[in-house]
Each structure stands twice: as C-alpha cells, then as structure tokens.
Amino acid sequence: MKIKYMLPLILLLLTGARSNAQKVPVQKPEFLEYTHSKWVDSIMNTLDPDEKIGQLLMVRAYSNKEEKHKQDILDLINKHKIGGVVFFQGNPEKQVQLMNEFQQASEIPLLGAIDAEWGLGMRLDNTVSYPFQMALGAIQDNALIYEMGKEIAGQIKRSGLHINFAPVADINNNPDNPVINARSFGEDKKNVTAKVIAYMKGMQDSGLLTTAKHFPGHGDTNVDSHHDLPVLNHSRTRMDTLEIYPFKELIKAGINGVMVAHLNIPVLDTTGKPATLSRQIATSLLQDELGFEGLIITDAMGMKGVTKGNAPGIVDRDALMAGNDILELSEDVEKAIFEIRKAVQKGMIREKDIDAKVRKVLAAKQWAKLSDYRPMESKNIVRDLNTPHARLLNRKLVEASLTVLKNDGNILPVSGLEKLKIASVSVGASEETVFQKTLALYTAVDHFRLPHDASSAAIEKLKEQLDDYNLIIIGIHDQGRLPKNQVGFPEPVLAFLKEISGKNSIITSFKNPYVLDKIAGIEHAGGLIVAYQDSKLTEELSAQLIFGAFGASGKLPVRIGNKFPIGSGMETKGGIRFKYTLPEEAGMNSEFLHRKVDSLMQEAMDNKAIPGGQVFIAKDGKVVLYKAYGFQDYSDTVAVRKTDLYDLASVTKISSSLPALMQFYDQGKFDIDKNLGDYLPYFKNSDKGDLSFREILAHQAGLTPWIAYWKNTLRKNGSYKWSTIKKDSSSRFPIRIADHMWLHRNYRKKIYKAIKKSPLTGKKEYLYSGLVFYLMPEMVENMSNTPFLTYLDNEIYRKLGATTLTYNPLSGFPKERIVPTEHDYEFRHLPIHGTVHDEGAAMMGGISSNAGLFANANDLAKLMQMYLNMGTYGGDRYIEESTFREFTRAQFPENNNHRGLGFDKPYLESKGADGNTAADATESSFGHTGFTGTMVWMDPEKRILYVFLSNRVLPTRENTKLYKLNTRTNIQQVIYDALKE
C-alpha cells in the first residue's frame, strides 16, 4: 500500500481507537422507553411528513404581548402542528392561560419550555429568582442545589410547562466572558460538574425535562454568540478534559437533553461551521463518541452566531442534518419546513431519521405526562409559586453562598459593640439600602451614600465625616440586572475604595466577583465578603452575616486575578445574634402565624383597645415575626414604625436594675438573702430594714403596692405647693417633669421618706409592689461606683446593641419616633408624649427601676434573648446561667406565690383566659407585663421569645379593653399553635 493511502488509514484507526477508548457506560434518559409506546405509535400514524417536521420546531411565546402575538402562535399551531413553545417575559397567570389556549388548539400536546436558569424569576413577574449559578458555585452543600432543582421543577410545572433549558454546564474560565460568566457554576470543572448534576437530578426527579448547555462549552469565549460567532482555539485534549467534561458526566448521569451552542471550534470541525450546524460535533462527538441518546436541542436559531451568513430555512435544515432533534426559535417556521422537506426528498436527510427524532420528542412528551394532558388552573398561581418553602430555600441558598475572603483580627462577626462607632457607606446606591437598614437592626449605625458618579468634592467631604468612626462597613452595589464583570465607577470612587480598605473596614461586594480584581487595594480590607449579586436578599443576609446571625461557609468558585485563588473562603462564627428569617426555619407555619397575629391586632385596634403596636416573636434565636401595626394614636395620622419607641412601664423592672443586680450577684456584691438595710442604710432602722431581697423581689415582703407621690405636690385647691413644683427651671428646681413643670431637687428624699413610712401588711404572702424598685438605681450606683445610666449603657445596653433602650428618650430621639401615652389631666395637665407615663418615675427625673425605660421591640428583644439564652448574647456572657436559673424559678410556690426574683411567672394553677400567660406556656417560662400595655415573655423549654408593645393607656388609663380582649396572651398562644400547624 502506498504511503499516501496508509496515512489516512492510520489516522482513521487512531481516531477510532481514541473514540472507543473514551466511550463509557451511560445512563439512558428515562423518557426513551416511550419511543415506541402505544401513545407515540398512535400519533406517528396520524402525521404527514410536514407535520412530523413541525413537531421538531419550537417557537417563541410571551405572556405580556398583544393579541396579535397570540394569534400568530395559534396560526403556527393550526397550520404547521409545531411541537412546542418557549415562553419568555410575562406573568404566571397569563402564561398559564395562554398555554391552556395553545394546548386546546393543538391536536398533539405541545411541549412547553422556558429558559429559567435561576428559576421562573428569570422570565416571569411575581415569581422567585434563585441566585445565579456562580453564587451557587460557592455553596459547599450540593443537597441544597438538588433541593433547588426540585423546587424549580415544581414551579415550572405549576406554570404549565415541561422543560427547562438549564442547567448551564459551561466552565467559565474566561473572566471577560460577556454571555456566560455569572450564569456558570464557576471555573473548577469538578465543582461545576457536581453542581450541574445535582441541579439536573433535582429537576428530573421531579418530572421536569432538562437541557444541559451550551455544548461543547461556552465558558472560554470573549464574544457573545447572540451577536457573533465565537471561536475556541483549543486542543482536543483541552476540550476533552475541561470544556466537555461536565457534559460527559451529565450524560453518564442520565440528562434528558443537551443544547448545542453556536461556537466555531476548529479542532472539532475544521469547516468553521457553528457547532449547531456541525455533524462532527452534534452527531459524531455528542452521539457517537459520548453516547448521548437524549434530546439534542439547538440554541436559539435567531442568534447572530448561527444566522450570520446562513439564510432562514436553510440554517434550520442544516441544524437538523447536523444531528439536532429540536430547532429552538426558528426565525421562519414555514421556510424551515419547506427546506427540510426538500432535503428529505433529495435524500440529504433520511425519512427514518426524521421519524426517530419525532419519536424522541413524543416520548419526552409522554414522560412529561402530556399523554394525559389536563389544563392548568391559573387561580392562586402566584401564591403557589411563592410558598414559604420556596422563599426559605432561597434564603438558605444565598446564606450558604456568601463568601468571606478576609477576616483580619476576627473582625467578623462584629464584636465589642460598646467600643465601636459604626458608619455604613453604600457605594453606587441612590438611596438607603436594604443592607444598611438591616445593619441598623443590630446596633446604632450612621448611614452614608456615595453615588457611582460622586464628585471629588463629595468624596473629600465623606472622608472627613468618616474620620469620627472606628468601624466602617461598605457595600459596593450593582444596579444592573445581571452582575457583569464591569466596575462601573470612575477613578475618584475607585481611589476612595482603595483608601478606605483598611483594618477597620468591612467591605461587602454585591457585584460579580471578578470585579474585585479591578478594584485596587480592596484585598487589604479587614473584612471582605463576596455576595455575588445585588438583591434585597443578598443585602439583607450579608448584613446578618456581619453581625453573626449565621456563619459564612462559601468558597470562591472562580479565581480573582492574583488576589484570591479558587476555593478561597473562611468560615465565621454564627448563631450569636438574632437571625431575621421566615417562621418555617423555626418549624412554624408562616401563613397561620401572620394571619392569626394580624387578626388579633386588628381586633384590638378595631375595638379601640389600642391605636397600634409592635409585635416581635423569635424561636431559637430566629426572628419569625417583627411587625408594626396601626397608628401612634387614634387620629390615624402617624403610622407606627418598627423603629418607634414605646414606654415600657413595669417591664422596666426586669430591664434596668435587675440585670445589674444579677451581675453583682455573680460577683459576690449582692446577696438576695441579705436585707434592704444592708444595701441602703437609710432604711436600716425602719420596719423595712430587715426585709430580704428574696422576699422583696418575689413580691412577698408585705410592702404597700403603690404610693401616689404626686398627690403630695398639690394643695387642696389643686394647685402645686410652692416648695415642690415651679413653672421654670432653676438650681433648686432642676428636675423636668414637663415643659411647665420643674420639681424641687430634694423631692427624691420625700419619695424615700414616703416609702420608709409606708405601712407593711404584716403578711408574708404575694402582693405586687413596686416601691423598692424606686430605690434600686441608687443601689446599682453604690455597688458599681458608676452612675446608674452609665453602668447600664456600658455594661448591658450598648454591648447588646440595644441602642433605643433608654430613659428620657427625648434627649436622644426625635419626638415623632416616640409613641404617646395618656392624656394626663390630673397631675401634668397635658398629653404625655416623650416622657414616662408613671408619675413616680417622672418625679425621679424619669429614671427609676419601677418604670421609665423606652425602647422599640427589636432592641428590647435583645435583652430578653440574652435572658432566654441564660445570660449570653452576641458572643458575650453577661450573667451566669446558675444565676438565671435561680432568679427565674418560683421562689415561694408553697405559699401560692408564682413569682420569681423580679420576674413574673405563670400562675401556679391558672393559664389561658384565667391566667397571665398562654395556656401552653411552660412552667419554666418567665417575663413581665407593663401598665401601658406591654408584655415580654420567654420560654426556655420551647426557646420562644415574645415582645408586645402598645399604648393602651391612650387617651386614658381607664381603657381596659386590652385586658378584656386578652390580646397579649391570645397572641402568645398563637405562637405555640403555629408550632403545631
């Protein structure tokens, strides 16, 4: 044999050897078992040649277009018996209605498809958008990806469709890729492969057809095939071991479909044809070599990557000749059928090959249950597509994707709040962001914004303002729909980011991760978080991560230049502060919980028991409901906000001196079995001197319940005694009660004297009394050698981040943020707004342990969660657990006294309507209520925290409807009931 003939033969043998060596056992797609079913056979017997071709065509459909669009599709269905439709933008109700109409018009059930790579939200309004695949690439638990696949499958099927053109199996190894990029799971082929298989299996296990794309790999391109034909100049070894690798593994795993891309790959086809039109790629490689027998689908046939230089109809024919089964979005259905029919007549395409393709399409329809087609109901579809499970899964995915690249000095999670002055800067945002609002849930944060086009002067001003802060939290925002690899900031803004990136800064990037390589110096930030995309959910959860609601676990799925390699990512501590989430994450029913609580609050407002209020519910440290209801007063003008402050009334008793006394108990400075006279010598030689604090705090010391101190300031004619109250302040009258009321500086002594002289009942039995709580601030000061408010702020409130937990709130908050209480026409002669309701506390300068504290529900809950945690919160221990066990147990149950030390407890025999708690509250639970209509309650056994704030005393304390309706404990019972639902 001559050498010139031997070389081609040797090459052919080598090629065959390589092809045979690469063949591996594959799992056939399940739908193939139906290719010769009775249903498929019966339909094949009814189709003429043109109708068979029609079954291989899918056309574009929108649910947000005019009537003509619908009629055009109906014409294609009636005239050409097209095989299916691919839905794009619109809304789910209209999509279902249209699909039902299309199915009704079609003699053969239509295959409904959608390109929903990150869920229906990619195409439809009012539906869930899951994270882009690059964010998912950071997740370490692929079971979450599988669960997402199942959920997306259920949503797509509920919207009347049967196939998802996903997952994207491309390995994005080109940071400048303009079309794949964030749509890819990343750069590591094994990570990408594991995740595309998990996603695929989740969908297919739930009865949805899937399509891996874009074969043989679109990741290393710098051209968008929508606009031109990309060229991949790689060796065959490179293609086999990298680009094609995920597709091989998907085929082994039983993928239903593969979408062929518009790519020019010379090593696979020297003709320069797009892969879509290449028999060497769509048949020889994909089917013969890789053994794929499922549906082969073209990428959209209107893209410039395939239409350039190819006429409509002809290009469809060539795609079918190349080996594709379904032509997606043909530009001209009639021309496509004409050219394909002509090719069959000329012998360019065998009729039996057309039949085989049609049988595959029909088999896929039967597997998708279209052989038993029923119209889809559009009623309640938006609710069905936005279930709590779907929303919670989305949160879990985002949470698991967040990636911490820097954590110098364990700056994350943020600790030592009492030492920090924190600023947040949103770069590229036009208004206060969700990120900033969520940061503010944890502590006081001053917010700043830097527009993407900020001037140098604006930047200099901002830098001067930031000099006062020792922690700066920066969010780098992206306003685009897709997180593209573009910085989008001018040089002055980039210079600012470089300068601000230091050890006292935490930066969260909501942009494409590749952007970090284009921001100089960002790697020097003390904390650096990659959120991968900008959405309300990524912003909210990134802020929660910063304060330790949960820990970071994400790993970078791509390399960021020379700054961070693939796999970078640090774990951080979580579970140390509140996690704001959905009730389902705490094992509760969202719909039931919100409906019942809303209903009970509405009932109270309708009956004018309260004008409005705040409700806060947490389970296991997870905030499952935090809402503001109604208005600040009955005038219906100022709606209650979650940031508004309420007068806590007697909840002050367990929120001020009591935690300090427990700390002193731990330190050996305070003994509950010592007496009042031991700590306040003024009372030593009185009948109060020998009262033990165990008895006092359990309300079993026989003290008088209450003294109307204010009545001693009045003459018989109702005017104020000259020695007590003046209209103007002075050195002798420095204590402000109201604008026109200034109390004598020594009046506190009169209060002490009144307490000292008050009669004892002579019985050691339960009788609620707040008298000694007026004295406790002095005790705290004596034991700590620190002013009372300073001690509370430094040792408790600021450390907790409870910055609205305060006395005399007008000194730090605008009046409009403070909810008014009673119209006092007996003592102060004015509506009370911004000062304490309790007269005695007002006469103590607003500072007492009996009453006087203000807060919003969120900040009060931080203190209560510390109690529920038996002394810990935010990674700090405030009080020993043994101390809490002692203070929160019933001290004298043998005397029918249900009280703990300072804390209220459930009645020993009565609960529910006849008790002070919900019927299901456990014996270990504890809390307190307040005269203004407040309640806090903790249940350590069930890990439940409940805060209820209202101003039921508006306009008068005589309004007792809140008690009669039993609103507070009825809502508390709903919490327990929600756990049973």
Side-chain angles (χ1 to χ4, degrees):
M1 185 179 291
K2 292 183 179 179
I3 190 73
K4 69 176 181 178
Y5 297 116
M6 289 180 66
L7 285 174
L9 178 60
I10 292 170
L11 289 172
L12 179 63
L13 290 172
L14 287 173
T15 302
R18 181 183 65 190
S19 177
N20 290 331
Q22 289 183 345
K23 281 187 177 180
V24 293
V26 298
Q27 180 180 329
K28 289 186 178 182
E30 291 180 1
F31 74 84
L32 290 176
E33 65 178 287
Y34 296 114
T35 51
H36 288 85
S37 69
K38 289 182 179 179
W39 185 77
V40 171
D41 288 345
S42 67
I43 293 176
M44 288 294 293
N45 291 334
T46 68
L47 299 175
D48 65 29
D50 281 8
E51 291 171 342
K52 289 177 181 177
I53 297 169
Q55 283 296 299
L56 307 180
L57 303 175
M58 297 186 78
V59 300
R60 186 184 298 266
Y62 292 85
S63 55
N64 63 352
K65 287 198 172 184
E66 68 288 342
E67 181 68 16
K68 182 181 182 302
H69 172 70
K70 181 179 80 171
Q71 290 302 324
D72 289 344
I73 295 173
L74 288 171
D75 288 345
L76 292 173
I77 292 170
N78 292 322
K79 186 175 180 181
H80 298 297
K81 289 191 178 179
I82 57 174
V85 293
V86 184
F87 273 95
F88 288 83
Q89 279 69 35
N91 66 78
E93 298 99 332
K94 186 65 175 176
Q95 178 176 290
V96 166
Q97 292 164 10
L98 280 176
M99 194 62 189
N100 286 341
E101 287 190 59
F102 296 156
Q103 293 286 24
Q104 186 177 7
S106 182
E107 294 179 18
I108 303 166
L110 296 163
L111 196 62
I114 195 165
D115 202 347
E117 296 166 16
W118 53 88
L120 286 177
M122 181 174 175
R123 301 296 179 189
L124 301 181
D125 300 334
N126 304 316
T127 55
V128 179
S129 287
Y130 292 98
F132 296 123
Q133 285 189 193
M134 187 166 287
L136 300 177
I139 294 174
Q140 299 306 292
D141 181 5
N142 289 338
L144 281 172
I145 311 296
Y146 175 84
E147 187 64 28
M148 182 191 74
K150 288 178 67 69
E151 185 62 39
I152 287 176
Q155 293 176 12
I156 290 174
K157 290 167 66 179
R158 176 64 183 88
S159 69
L161 308 181
H162 320 96
I163 183 169
N164 189 9
F165 291 152
V168 172
D170 302 315
I171 298 168
N172 196 79
N173 40 26
N174 186 337
D176 295 322
N177 194 315
V179 63
I180 303 302
N181 213 298
R183 296 164 62 196
S184 164
F185 281 113
E187 294 181 35
D188 180 82
K189 70 176 185 179
K190 293 193 174 178
N191 184 45
V192 170
T193 300
K195 286 178 168 57
V196 293
I197 290 175
Y199 187 8
M200 174 272 287
K201 283 188 174 294
M203 289 190 283
Q204 291 189 182
D205 287 354
S206 298
L208 188 75
L209 294 161
T210 63
T211 310
K213 60 188 184 184
H214 305 81
F215 185 81
H218 207 323
D220 193 9
T221 64
N222 56 13
V223 172
D224 184 345
S225 52
H226 289 85
H227 307 301
D228 206 344
L229 181 63
V231 180
L232 269 70
N233 287 306
H234 296 312
S235 70
R236 178 62 196 268
T237 299
R238 153 71 187 258
M239 293 295 299
D240 281 343
T241 57
L242 191 62
E243 274 80 5
I244 298 174
Y245 179 82
F247 295 95
K248 288 181 184 177
E249 299 304 311
L250 281 162
I251 291 167
K252 291 180 194 176
I255 184 87
N256 295 139
V258 169
M259 180 177 286
V260 181
H262 307 315
L263 300 169
N264 175 8
I265 310 172
V267 74
L268 299 179
D269 187 337
T270 58
T271 65
K273 292 179 182 177
T276 336
L277 308 182
S278 167
R279 188 166 182 82
Q280 287 92 324
I281 294 173
T283 296
S284 299
L285 174 58
L286 181 55
Q287 297 178 70
D288 299 341
E289 187 174 326
L290 300 183
F292 182 60
E293 298 180 49
L295 289 171
I296 302 175
I297 304 170
T298 68
D299 207 343
M301 294 300 291
M303 293 166 62
K304 295 293 190 292
V306 71
T307 60
K308 199 171 182 179
N310 295 302
I314 299 293
V315 73
D316 301 284
R317 176 203 69 189
D318 292 349
L320 213 60
M321 289 174 60
N324 294 283
D325 299 314
I326 292 178
L327 307 179
E328 183 201 0
L329 310 182
S330 172
E331 287 197 298
D332 192 321
V333 168
E334 192 162 348
K335 284 185 179 179
I337 292 175
F338 174 78
E339 292 296 342
I340 294 167
R341 183 201 322 129
K342 191 163 67 172
V344 172
Q345 293 168 349
K346 290 182 176 181
M348 298 167 67
I349 307 175
R350 296 182 301 179
E351 190 170 343
K352 71 174 185 177
D353 290 338
I354 296 289
D355 286 352
K357 294 176 187 298
V358 176
R359 283 186 176 277
K360 275 205 283 185
V361 171
L362 293 173
K365 292 182 178 183
Q366 184 169 357
W367 183 85
K369 303 290 192 282
L370 279 167
S371 56
D372 186 29
Y373 166 74
R374 291 183 177 86
M376 185 62 67
E377 177 61 63
S378 62
K379 185 179 179 182
N380 296 325
I381 187 170
V382 171
R383 183 195 67 185
D384 295 345
L385 296 176
N386 291 273
T387 63
H389 176 268
R391 290 185 290 122
L392 178 58
L393 175 60
N394 204 12
R395 297 182 74 89
K396 289 181 177 178
L397 290 164
V398 172
E399 179 182 320
S401 73
L402 298 177
T403 305
V404 173
L405 295 181
K406 290 289 298 298
N407 191 20
D408 293 350
N410 291 319
I411 197 171
L412 297 169
V414 174
S415 60
L417 299 183
E418 74 281 8
K419 303 171 185 174
L420 297 175
K421 186 176 182 183
I422 305 174
S424 74
V425 182
S426 283
V427 180
S430 57
E431 57 186 21
E432 188 173 302
T433 62
V434 171
F435 181 60
Q436 292 177 308
K437 291 175 182 176
T438 307
L439 291 172
L441 290 172
Y442 291 97
T443 190
V445 181
D446 294 328
H447 301 312
F448 301 90
R449 292 188 298 279
L450 190 67
H452 74 278
D453 57 351
S455 65
S456 297
I459 292 172
E460 287 304 313
K461 180 180 178 181
L462 175 60
K463 285 159 59 176
E464 289 177 12
Q465 292 172 311
L466 295 178
D467 282 342
D468 292 335
Y469 297 87
N470 56 3
L471 178 62
I472 302 169
I473 301 175
I474 300 142
I476 302 177
H477 293 274
D478 193 311
Q479 303 300 316
R481 178 174 171 267
L482 289 170
K484 296 182 178 179
N485 185 16
Q486 297 170 0
V487 178
F489 298 132
E491 186 54 39
V493 174
L494 291 175
F496 167 79
L497 287 172
K498 180 178 181 180
E499 185 175 344
I500 206 73
S501 297
K503 64 180 181 179
N504 68 332
S505 66
I506 297 171
I507 298 178
T508 301
S509 172
F510 298 102
K511 284 181 169 287
N512 184 304
Y514 290 122
V515 168
L516 297 182
D517 195 37
K518 301 177 181 180
I519 301 177
I522 197 169
E523 67 275 16
H524 300 305
L528 181 58
I529 302 168
V530 181
Y532 299 96
Q533 62 192 84
D534 202 343
S535 69
K536 290 181 179 179
L537 197 50
T538 56
E539 290 188 29
E540 177 194 334
L541 291 174
S542 295
Q544 293 198 39
L545 170 67
I546 286 170
F547 282 99
F550 57 88
S553 60
K555 304 293 182 185
L556 199 62
V558 296
R559 65 175 53 84
I560 299 176
N562 295 319
K563 294 179 179 180
F564 300 101
I566 294 175
S568 298
M570 303 176 178
E571 294 185 2
T572 61
K573 190 175 182 180
I576 65 171
R577 292 193 181 93
F578 280 133
K579 184 178 188 181
Y580 299 83
T581 184
L582 301 178
E584 278 68 21
E585 189 167 0
M588 304 172 82
N589 183 298
S590 281
E591 191 277 331
F592 178 88
L593 180 68
H594 284 268
R595 174 170 52 84
K596 288 287 190 178
V597 174
D598 291 353
S599 175
L600 288 167
M601 287 297 289
Q602 192 62 52
E603 177 189 49
M605 292 185 293
D606 288 345
N607 282 277
K608 294 195 180 299
I610 55 174
Q614 294 174 1
V615 178
F616 184 104
I617 298 168
K619 170 78 167 67
D620 299 322
K622 300 175 178 68
V623 180
V624 297
L625 187 148
Y626 176 27
K627 284 187 175 183
Y629 294 87
F631 297 87
Q632 289 191 1
D633 60 43
Y634 291 108
S635 63
D636 290 358
T637 55
V638 181
V640 176
R641 295 153 296 192
K642 292 193 289 188
T643 54
D644 287 347
L645 282 68
Y646 276 83
D647 184 332
L648 304 183
S650 283
V651 172
T652 302
K653 290 181 173 68
I654 66 168
S655 306
S656 56
S657 293
L658 191 65
L661 292 179
M662 285 191 279
Q663 290 181 330
F664 300 147
Y665 180 85
D666 288 338
Q667 299 163 15
K669 296 178 179 179
F670 176 62
D671 186 338
I672 55 178
D673 290 312
K674 284 192 174 183
N675 303 325
L676 182 62
D678 294 326
Y679 296 104
L680 290 173
Y682 176 75
F683 291 89
K684 197 169 186 67
N685 295 319
S686 71
D687 59 356
K688 314 293 186 306
D690 293 332
L691 298 179
S692 77
F693 269 93
R694 189 182 296 274
E695 293 174 327
I696 291 169
L697 293 174
H699 299 278
Q700 186 159 304
L703 288 162
T704 298
W706 175 68
I707 299 173
Y709 308 103
W710 63 273
K711 290 185 177 180
N712 294 325
T713 68
L714 300 178
R715 297 188 179 97
K716 289 182 180 180
N717 63 5
S719 63
Y720 301 119
K721 295 177 182 177
W722 72 270
S723 61
T724 58
I725 293 174
K726 299 289 187 184
K727 289 184 178 180
D728 297 310
S729 65
S730 67
S731 60
R732 292 180 63 222
F733 293 86
I735 301 171
R736 182 184 180 276
I737 295 176
D739 287 340
H740 65 285
M741 294 179 67
W742 296 85
L743 187 67
H744 194 279
R745 63 191 178 194
N746 293 327
Y747 199 83
R748 180 188 298 251
K749 294 179 181 179
K750 291 183 179 292
I751 292 176
Y752 274 42
K753 186 176 181 180
I755 294 172
K756 189 174 183 179
K757 285 187 171 183
S758 63
L760 294 174
T761 65
K763 296 179 181 179
K764 296 293 186 177
E765 61 184 22
Y766 172 63
L767 182 63
Y768 183 82
S769 172
L771 296 191
V772 174
F773 286 88
Y774 287 99
L775 313 174
M776 289 183 182
E778 183 179 331
M779 291 175 54
V780 172
E781 292 184 348
N782 292 341
M783 293 180 192
S784 65
N785 292 317
T786 305
F788 179 60
L789 298 188
T790 302
Y791 183 88
L792 292 181
D793 282 341
N794 291 347
E795 299 301 323
I796 301 173
Y797 300 159
R798 287 179 58 207
K799 288 177 71 174
L800 289 167
T803 54
T804 66
L805 199 53
T806 185
Y807 287 94
N808 293 321
L810 285 173
S811 62
F813 297 91
K815 195 171 186 178
E816 58 268 22
R817 277 190 61 185
I818 305 167
V819 178
T821 53
E822 188 174 14
H823 294 180
D824 180 2
Y825 296 120
E826 293 194 56
F827 175 45
R828 283 160 282 195
H829 304 288
L830 79 171
I832 304 168
H833 191 178
T835 56
V836 61
H837 173 267
D838 181 87
E839 298 92 345
M843 298 174 77
M844 297 284 288
I847 301 170
S848 167
S849 290
N850 184 66
L853 272 180
F854 287 71
N856 62 38
N858 185 60
D859 278 351
L860 179 58
K862 295 169 187 174
L863 177 63
M864 299 302 132
Q865 186 66 40
M866 184 266 280
Y867 290 170
L868 185 59
N869 294 343
M870 295 289 133
T872 64
Y873 186 79
D876 295 320
R877 177 163 287 283
Y878 294 79
I879 301 162
E880 292 300 322
E881 180 174 344
S882 58
T883 300
F884 261 103
R885 299 290 180 191
E886 179 62 29
F887 274 68
T888 58
R889 73 174 179 87
Q891 296 294 311
F892 302 100
E894 71 283 354
N895 203 23
N896 199 32
N897 182 346
H898 64 283
R899 288 274 178 168
L901 296 175
F903 293 102
D904 198 2
K905 297 276 294 174
Y907 290 166
L908 296 176
E909 296 181 358
S910 301
K911 287 185 179 181
D914 298 323
N916 62 337
T917 66
D920 286 356
T922 67
E923 291 183 7
S924 65
S925 68
F926 58 93
H928 216 285
T929 55
F931 188 73
T932 52
T934 58
M935 180 177 182
V936 295
W937 212 267
M938 288 69 71
D939 192 332
E941 188 175 323
K942 299 292 186 180
R943 301 290 302 157
I944 289 171
L945 165 61
Y946 169 48
V947 176
F948 180 99
L949 301 182
S950 77
N951 53 336
R952 70 98 195 160
V953 294
L954 183 77
T956 171
R957 69 185 66 192
E958 302 305 319
N959 179 11
T960 59
K961 292 177 182 177
L962 186 67
Y963 305 150
K964 294 172 184 176
L965 291 170
N966 212 25
T967 303
R968 292 177 293 184
T969 53
N970 285 343
I971 290 177
Q972 187 184 27
Q973 182 59 45
V974 167
I975 304 170
Y976 292 93
D977 292 342
L979 286 167
K980 303 172 189 174
E981 287 293 313

